[in-house]
């Protein structure tokens, strides 16, 4: 596409994805990032992984965090976060994004939640890295599912079960998030969202920012790109996806997708077909 590189600007930056055909709700990811800075984005599932080398800096739930080599990363679903290299050589890492319903099916427990996003733990990080590599290589469904069970067992000791109860603000903004999900393709207004929350417009804006550490527009864009990622994974054409999620055109989708996920829609789809 004119004006949009098919690869990262830095030659050393690379990211790969894999979706197991037999296990919906699971996505594997591995990357080496040096120059790219990820825009705020979300994932439908828990982000569970390990840093193999280097150090990542990212913003999550209103605070900056460093994830050094031999640390495990535990992100909750639908939490906005960023990502960039803290060290000159960037960072290598592997992640599995696992939807809450899949976690509940495999573990027999619902309501998993992680209070700690990064923990330096060399033995655990090396074990997680090995499991994620084995999952990447697994081609038999039984082998994959057995490894997935082992991976979740590794993270179980870090999880809080059940998830802490939402406070009043979270309850109030739940309908707003539902409204955003239901109207991704529309041009929304602050007054419209404030009405859903039952607040005056700028009081709503202040309270939403305090709760989600993001503006409603940032949240809307994150939800749009998460939905675009889902549709692309099902083989939808990028131009159709762009229209469906309220982006201007395919070029807009390509730029915003690459800033959040480190690859273009076309490369993401090709990676899933391997």
């Amino acid at each position: 596409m004119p004006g949009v590189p098919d690869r990262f600007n830095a030659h050393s930056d690379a990211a790969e994805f894999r979706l197991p055909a037999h296990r919906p709700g699971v996505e594997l990811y591995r990357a080496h990032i040096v120059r790219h800075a990820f825009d705020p984005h979300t994932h439908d599932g828990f982000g569970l992984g390990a840093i193999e080398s280097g150090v990542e800096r990212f913003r999550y739930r209103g605070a900056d965090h460093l994830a050094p080599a031999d640390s495990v990363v535990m992100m909750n679903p639908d939490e906005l976060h960023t990502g960039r290299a803290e060290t000159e050589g960037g960072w290598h890492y592997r992640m599995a994004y696992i939807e809450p319903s899949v976690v509940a099916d495999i573990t027999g427990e619902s309501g998993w939640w992680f209070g700690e996003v990064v923990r330096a733990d060399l033995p655990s990080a090396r074990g997680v890295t090995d499991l994620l590599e084995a999952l990447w290589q697994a081609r038999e469904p039984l082998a994959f599912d057995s490894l997935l069970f082992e991976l979740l067992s590794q993270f179980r000791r870090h999880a809080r079960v059940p998830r802490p109860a939402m406070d009043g603000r979270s309850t109030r903004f739940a309908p707003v998030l539902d409204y955003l999900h239901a109207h991704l393709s529309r041009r929304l207004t602050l007054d419209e969202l404030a009405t859903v929350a039952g607040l005056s417009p700028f009081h709503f804006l202040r309270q939403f920012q305090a709760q989600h550490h993001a503006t409603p527009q940032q949240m809307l864009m994150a939800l749009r790109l998460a939905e675009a990622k889902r549709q692309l994974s099902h083989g939808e054409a990028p131009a159709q996806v762009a229209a469906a999620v309220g982006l201007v055109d395919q070029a807009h989708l390509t730029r915003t997708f690459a800033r959040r996920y480190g690859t273009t829609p076309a490369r993401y789809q090709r990676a899933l077909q391997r």
Side-chain angles (χ1 to χ4, degrees), residues 35-88:
R35 300 297 180 192
H36 188 77
F38 292 91
D39 279 0
H41 62 283
T42 65
H43 299 279
D44 294 335
F46 291 98
L48 305 176
I51 309 297
E52 295 181 62
S53 64
V55 181
E56 177 192 12
R57 176 181 288 274
F58 62 97
R59 191 157 185 83
Y60 176 86
R61 294 187 62 80
D64 285 332
H65 300 270
L66 293 177
D70 295 323
S71 62
V72 291
V73 178
M74 302 158 285
M75 290 186 173
N76 295 311
D78 300 320
E79 291 284 1
L80 279 173
H81 58 280
T82 62
R84 63 179 176 84
E86 180 70 6
T87 46
E88 184 175 347

Side-chain angles (χ1 to χ4, degrees), residues 42 78 80 173-190 192-194 196-197 204 208 212 214-225 227 230 244-246:
T42 65
D78 300 320
L80 279 173
F173 293 139
V176 176
L177 296 179
D178 290 341
Y179 193 84
L180 291 173
H181 274 289
H183 298 90
L184 295 177
S185 64
R186 285 190 46 216
R187 296 181 65 181
L188 302 174
T189 67
L190 181 62
E192 188 176 351
L193 297 178
V196 174
F204 160 72
F208 189 94
H212 292 287
T215 65
Q217 175 62 21
Q218 289 172 320
M219 181 64 76
L220 175 61
M221 286 302 295
L223 295 177
R224 281 173 168 168
L225 269 294
E227 175 60 25
R230 280 192 295 273
V245 301

Side-chain angles (χ1 to χ4, degrees), residues 119-141:
R119 174 173 290 188
D121 184 343
L122 187 151
S124 181
R126 297 286 173 87
V128 166
T129 295
D130 289 345
L131 282 169
L132 288 171
E133 171 61 17
L135 278 164
W136 191 278
Q137 300 299 332
R139 291 299 180 264
E140 293 188 14

Side-chain angles (χ1 to χ4, degrees), residues 15-20 27-31 93-96 128-140 143-144 147-148 271-272 274:
E16 296 179 279
F17 300 82
R18 184 188 166 208
L19 293 178
E27 179 177 80
L28 302 179
Y29 174 80
R30 61 186 183 185
Y93 66 117
R94 295 173 183 267
M95 300 291 292
V128 166
T129 295
D130 289 345
L131 282 169
L132 288 171
E133 171 61 17
L135 278 164
W136 191 278
Q137 300 299 332
R139 291 299 180 264
E140 293 188 14
F144 186 96
L147 290 164
L148 190 60
L272 299 184
R274 293 173 185 167

Side-chain angles (χ1 to χ4, degrees), residues 16-21 26-28 136 229-235 257 265-274:
E16 296 179 279
F17 300 82
R18 184 188 166 208
L19 293 178
V26 177
E27 179 177 80
L28 302 179
W136 191 278
K229 194 161 175 271
R230 280 192 295 273
Q231 293 191 21
L232 289 166
S233 73
H234 292 127
F257 193 91
R267 285 177 59 81
Y268 175 66
Q269 287 188 313
R270 286 200 297 272
L272 299 184
Q273 293 168 0
R274 293 173 185 167

